[in-house]
Amino acid sequence: MTRRTRMNVYFDPALLGQVEALALRRNVSKSAVIEAAVASFLSGDTSERMEAALSRRLDRLGRQVEGLDEDLAVLGETLSLFIRFWMTVTPPLPEAARDAARAKGAERFEGFLQSLGRKLATGDRFLREVSRDRTAEGGADVVPGKDEGV
């Protein structure tokens, strides 16, 4: 059994409250929390550990940003291909048919919004589906012009 020496110290009441809360959460004594804090403060490698932890966090954030960058590029390409395809294959409407087309367009857009809402509620995203589909197909590259429908 290790021998311990008693020491009386004074704490700011707010700080003592935080020590007590941590001791309760971790199910350890207040003395153990304070001893660990003092040991950490006195150890020479504290700054190195903090730097290593910060470096790991920055690396993780960098990977997440790269993933978001790739997702954004895929979405931009998807939107541009759709717009090009739509503009290429959609003929102009005669004046008499425009009101009916606007009404049908509003109805279809409402259906689109409902479908989008359901999709977002499930948490299954378009880019994840594309990834799964590409993996299932063996990741074959799309041939420009051939698969674009134009």
Side-chain angles (χ1 to χ4, degrees), residues 1 6 13-15 18 20 29 37-38 42 55 71 76 81 94 101 114 116 127 129-130 147:
M1 184 169 165
R6 182 177 181 91
L15 183 59
Q18 289 178 323
E20 290 171 341
S29 69
V38 170
L42 294 175
S55 178
D71 290 352
L81 285 173
Q114 289 176 2
L116 178 63
L127 291 176
E129 281 184 17
V130 169
D147 294 334

Side-chain angles (χ1 to χ4, degrees), residues 43-103:
S43 70
D45 63 340
T46 303
S47 62
E48 292 172 8
R49 282 197 321 245
M50 287 176 55
E51 186 177 330
L54 183 60
S55 178
R56 284 191 304 273
R57 288 180 186 144
L58 287 173
D59 287 345
R60 186 181 73 232
L61 288 172
R63 286 190 301 274
Q64 288 174 340
V65 166
E66 287 172 5
L68 290 173
D69 199 27
E70 184 177 331
D71 290 352
L72 187 58
V74 168
L75 288 173
E77 287 300 315
T78 303
L79 180 62
S80 68
L81 285 173
F82 172 77
I83 291 170
R84 189 173 97 197
F85 177 77
W86 183 79
M87 289 180 157
T88 302
V89 300
T90 304
L93 293 174
E95 189 67 39
R98 289 188 183 163
D99 288 337
R102 281 191 189 101

